[in-house]
Amino acid sequence: MGTMFQEDKTMEVKKVRTLLRVSSKQQLHEDDIPLQREETKSYIAKHQDWIFDMEYIEKAVSAYKNGVEDREVLMQIKEDAENKEFDILLTYMTDRIGRREEYSFYISELYKAGIEVWTVKDGKIKNDEHTDSLITYIRFWQNEEESRKLGKRVRDALIDQVEKGKFVGGKAPYGYRLVETSEKDSHKRNRHKMEIVEKQAEVVRKIYDLYIHQGYGYEKIAKELNREGIPAVSADKWKNGTICSILKNPIYMGFYSIHRRERGKNFKRLDRKEWILSKEQVKDIVIVPQSDWEKAQEIRESRKSHLEEKKRKTLALYEEQYSAPFNPRGKLSLLGIAYCGYCGKRLKSAGYNNRWVTKDGTEKVSCIGRYGCQEKCAERSYYSQDFLESVVFEVVENYLERLKEVNISDELNEMKKQKMLHVEKEQKRIAKETDKKTRDIKTLEDALPEAFRGESGITVERLSRMIGEKEKELAELEQDRLRLQEQIEQANITYDEFSKFIDIAPDWRQVFKEADIPTKRMLLASLIERIDVKDEDISIKFRIRIEDFKKHSDEDEKILETIGSGTIRYKPGSR
Ligand SMILES: [Zn+2]
């Protein structure tokens, strides 16, 4: 029990701090903080040497913004941990902290500071640092660097290690495994190094070969590997993104690297000249010759301009389809689909010029992008472009990532088929009912002459009334039929539009991220039906409900749940 730091003072009382969090899902119904507080308190009571110190509360963090580095409370805890302000961090559940890989890194940081992490559900959390990915590691410290000096020191040390051709931690990329060496690190743990897994290395070589010699693209390579039944890296199937990252990673030509991506507003890929690579090739990790790797980069670059061409085509198609409502020259991407949640009117551009004078006396002007309600609703009528777009883009990027994981064309066809099956059934029912009602009316009408002659047990008035009722029902059925017809047409338009864009831009997420505003707007309009903005409560209604894509792993479950029925709500207070 205990960590190295506490072994000799087990009799001492341990200060426990709790981390309580309102998950965005639960917040829909009620605040579950009291429950968590109760649970953590009674858990603490079960340990004689524990004493409650204080609690950290994290307000709802959207499912799309739960990276450890985005969460101030977690950063605060880490800082307090480093200042040795407490001994144990207790949370209600493990998933209260963050995404799996980031979270394990975070935990290992707390352990390094001498803090134990416990959860009410699972007890003491293991410090398993080798499950983090290198990317996470770097991302974490890159962010740190922005606000804390500490990060820079660690990062400098990392750069130094990378340049020396040393493994700096994290998960082994595909094609490699980690093996322990006898060398110790600063925390007295055995260092690890990477070793080639020959069977996987063969697959890597195959990927490079298909790419540089056979002219295959990412998707075709993924398909080929799946067809051959080669086990994929982590998911059940090879995906474009995995192929792409294998083709880009300089590790395969024997160079460790960091600083290949930058964490900013977007998760931007850095230009090659910004990368930090090992100074010399590390011979025993080479899987493909350096010349092959370079060749793959050349091809990638030339295909990228091809993608640009596709984007232009997409734009042309957009202009053809949505000629009127969107002005491709405007700066705001959400015009036309964003509505004021109070009055229901479309939000308009309401930018203003910001003027200021610099130190040397020159006057500067910049245009601040803003969305505004035409009715100037009292509750709130202005939203900065930065705020609204960053929320929407973040949600859309996540949505696109989900989309990428399913075979959309097949799924779309399947969805369409299911929808049509349902529609056909409904059509048959309506036809059958209509037929029955028509026959009923005929029978009643046939009885009329007899009634007129007073030869029937039923009066003319009663018969007429019955006929009238049947005719009314018949008219309602006709309405149903027309409504259904409209639904079919609407569905066809949505599906067709969707498939068309999918054909043009297979890598949606990438296209979206790199797109200029008109393209972004086109993609948004094809994806989103409308966005209702009510102060910080933002609902995004997608044309295609993502949960219609049935295939998803357990891991997706959490995110999908928060997505709801085609509408994603951004939770106030989550940024
Ligand atoms: Zn309004």
Side-chain angles (χ1 to χ4, degrees):
M1 63 162 289
T3 67
M4 291 194 311
F5 299 83
Q6 287 155 347
E7 258 158 16
D8 297 324
K9 28 178 187 167
T10 44
M11 291 313 288
E12 271 183 39
V13 173
K14 287 176 178 172
K15 271 201 242 173
V16 184
R17 291 191 176 179
T18 56
L19 167 62
L20 313 179
R21 187 162 107 70
V22 190
S23 75
S24 40
K25 197 185 122 207
Q26 264 145 336
Q27 208 199 28
L28 281 178
H29 311 293
E30 57 186 317
D31 186 338
D32 67 346
I33 287 283
L35 168 80
Q36 292 181 43
R37 186 176 289 136
E38 206 51 51
E39 291 274 353
T40 49
K41 281 232 168 103
S42 63
Y43 195 78
I44 291 171
K46 282 183 205 151
H47 296 77
Q48 281 193 334
D49 56 341
W50 287 18
I51 181 164
F52 172 77
D53 183 44
M54 63 167 263
E55 68 184 22
Y56 297 98
I57 293 188
E58 203 181 25
K59 293 270 166 57
V61 172
S62 99
Y64 310 108
K65 203 178 170 60
N66 64 355
V68 163
E69 69 269 48
D70 294 325
R71 295 166 52 180
E72 283 168 24
V73 174
L74 295 191
M75 300 318 290
Q76 183 61 51
I77 293 173
K78 193 166 154 277
E79 202 177 294
D80 296 347
E82 278 155 3
N83 292 334
K84 309 258 179 281
E85 288 182 21
F86 62 103
D87 305 297
I88 290 171
L89 179 71
L90 176 67
T91 74
Y92 182 61
M93 284 195 311
T94 48
D95 63 8
R96 287 295 146 117
I97 293 183
R99 281 191 211 101
R100 201 162 304 160
E101 77 271 20
E102 295 197 334
Y103 141 90
S104 68
F105 178 72
Y106 180 78
I107 302 278
S108 95
E109 284 305 298
L110 292 183
Y111 270 81
K112 266 187 220 159
I115 306 297
E116 288 177 18
V117 182
W118 290 66
T119 79
V120 170
K121 211 170 130 221
D122 301 319
K124 192 173 158 188
I125 297 301
K126 277 198 312 234
N127 172 22
D128 189 5
E129 65 168 324
H130 297 300
T131 56
D132 346 303
S133 67
L134 178 61
I135 290 294
T136 306
Y137 196 81
I138 303 308
R139 257 173 77 182
F140 191 86
W141 286 117
Q142 268 177 0
N143 186 67
E144 282 285 275
E145 188 200 34
E146 289 165 23
S147 54
R148 290 179 181 81
K149 289 274 184 296
L150 176 72
K152 185 163 168 27
R153 211 171 62 222
V154 174
R155 226 171 76 82
D156 286 348
L158 273 179
I159 290 170
D160 184 55
Q161 294 287 305
V162 166
E163 286 185 339
K164 280 184 182 146
K166 289 206 168 156
F167 174 67
V168 291
K171 210 169 80 182
Y174 182 77
Y176 303 93
R177 72 165 79 88
L178 292 182
V179 288
E180 216 168 79
T181 66
S182 51
E183 202 185 328
K184 304 273 184 194
D185 67 11
S186 54
H187 299 282
K188 298 201 179 79
R189 284 175 307 227
N190 287 355
R191 277 190 188 282
H192 285 74
K193 67 167 195 173
M194 291 199 330
E195 193 179 84
I196 293 175
V197 178
E198 198 40 51
K199 234 178 149 176
Q200 292 181 358
E202 285 299 323
V203 179
V204 172
R205 283 181 208 114
K206 186 186 182 80
I207 291 170
Y208 275 82
D209 178 58
L210 291 173
Y211 193 70
I212 61 183
H213 298 123
Q214 318 288 329
Y216 279 35
Y218 305 150
E219 190 167 0
K220 211 169 161 196
I221 295 174
K223 269 194 184 143
E224 175 63 18
L225 299 183
N226 288 328
R227 195 187 60 78
E228 291 180 29
I230 295 168
V233 178
S234 54
D236 57 335
K237 272 164 86 181
W238 287 89
K239 287 166 190 161
N240 303 0
T242 320
I243 304 294
C244 172
S245 66
I246 287 177
L247 287 166
K248 270 195 296 207
N249 196 339
I251 193 79
Y252 297 109
M253 60 164 177
F255 288 83
Y256 287 108
S257 64
I258 54 169
H259 207 242
R260 288 199 289 139
R261 298 205 266 187
E262 185 174 57
R263 175 113 180 123
K265 200 171 175 186
N266 287 323
F267 198 52
K268 199 181 126 205
R269 271 183 287 275
L270 286 173
D271 196 73
R272 238 186 106 178
K273 56 181 182 292
E274 312 243 358
W275 296 5
I276 292 160
L277 295 176
S278 304
K279 291 239 185 291
E280 277 168 41
Q281 193 182 41
V282 184
K283 293 273 186 280
D284 52 354
I285 58 166
V286 175
I287 291 182
V288 296
Q290 195 167 349
S291 57
D292 280 5
W293 189 86
E294 292 292 356
K295 180 86 190 127
Q297 309 318 303
E298 266 171 44
I299 297 172
R300 223 162 45 71
E301 285 303 321
S302 72
R303 291 213 174 148
K304 224 166 107 188
S305 39
H306 184 63
L307 200 66
E308 295 290 326
E309 180 56 30
K310 277 186 171 175
K311 274 192 326 205
R312 270 193 291 280
K313 278 192 193 152
T314 313
L315 181 60
L317 179 71
Y318 159 71
E319 281 172 346
E320 193 186 303
Q321 289 203 336
Y322 303 89
S323 42
F326 301 99
N327 166 16
R329 238 170 257 121
K331 258 179 69 189
L332 306 176
S333 311
L334 307 176
L335 290 182
I337 50 173
Y339 293 80
C340 168
Y342 297 105
C343 66
K345 292 249 167 80
R346 269 197 182 138
L347 293 178
K348 296 264 180 202
S349 171
Y352 59 92
N353 286 333
N354 189 25
R355 286 165 201 280
W356 74 98
V357 181
T358 60
K359 270 186 200 155
D360 56 16
T362 44
E363 195 184 332
K364 295 224 169 185
V365 181
S366 76
C367 182
I368 309 288
R370 225 167 39 147
Y371 292 88
C373 166
Q374 316 165 48
E375 299 291 313
K376 306 246 186 316
C377 282
E379 291 89 344
R380 179 165 175 182
S381 48
Y382 293 104
Y383 301 91
S384 82
Q385 178 182 13
D386 253 10
F387 164 71
L388 198 54
E389 291 184 3
S390 63
V391 169
V392 173
F393 288 2
E394 203 175 331
V395 173
V396 167
E397 277 176 23
N398 273 282
Y399 176 88
L400 291 178
E401 184 150 63
R402 296 287 119 193
L403 281 187
K404 237 180 84 178
E405 284 167 13
V406 287
N407 188 338
I408 303 198
S409 313
D410 290 358
E411 289 289 318
L412 268 179
N413 284 333
E414 185 57 27
M415 275 163 62
K416 202 169 160 179
K417 218 170 84 190
Q418 291 301 329
K419 174 102 189 164
M420 284 307 158
L421 274 178
H422 172 77
V423 164
E424 272 168 31
K425 232 165 127 188
E426 190 63 11
Q427 274 176 327
K428 270 187 194 146
R429 185 191 66 82
I430 293 172
K432 212 170 138 192
E433 290 271 296
T434 306
D435 193 44
K436 189 170 169 289
K437 295 269 185 288
T438 314
R439 270 185 288 123
D440 285 351
I441 292 170
K442 179 89 173 53
T443 310
L444 291 169
E445 280 173 349
D446 286 349
L448 271 174
E450 223 176 322
F452 270 120
R453 290 194 298 269
E455 293 166 3
S456 161
I458 194 162
T459 65
V460 174
E461 289 74 25
R462 184 153 158 69
L463 263 180
S464 312
R465 208 164 50 237
M466 285 167 79
I467 292 171
E469 274 164 18
K470 294 281 176 201
E471 275 172 343
K472 216 175 117 201
E473 285 168 14
L474 202 60
E476 274 164 13
L477 279 172
E478 176 61 11
Q479 284 300 313
D480 284 353
R481 197 185 63 80
L482 289 174
R483 219 170 295 141
L484 201 61
Q485 194 58 42
E486 209 172 287
Q487 266 182 33
I488 297 169
E489 277 156 24
Q490 193 55 48
N492 275 334
I493 291 168
T494 310
Y495 290 126
D496 291 352
E497 247 174 43
F498 219 71
S499 334
K500 215 177 271 172
F501 287 123
I502 286 158
D503 289 343
I504 297 167
D507 200 345
W508 282 74
R509 195 167 197 251
Q510 195 189 341
V511 170
F512 184 77
K513 280 200 133 162
E514 293 169 5
D516 46 17
I517 291 163
T519 314
K520 271 210 168 88
R521 198 179 292 166
M522 176 278 300
L523 285 165
L524 289 170
S526 69
L527 288 169
I528 296 174
E529 205 170 294
R530 64 184 283 149
I531 302 167
D532 290 283
V533 191
K534 230 176 170 179
D535 194 13
E536 291 205 326
D537 188 350
I538 301 169
S539 298
I540 303 171
K541 188 165 195 302
F542 284 89
R543 290 178 187 273
I544 300 282
R545 305 185 320 146
I546 205 153
E547 69 271 37
D548 285 341
F549 301 112
K550 300 176 296 286
K551 272 181 256 159
H552 54 256
S553 65
D554 291 344
E555 217 172 310
D556 294 340
E557 210 78 60
K558 247 183 282 169
I559 299 153
L560 285 173
E561 272 171 9
T562 66
I563 284 170
S565 59
T567 304
I568 299 181
R569 276 183 81 204
Y570 165 76
K571 295 262 128 271
S574 65
R575 38 177 70 224

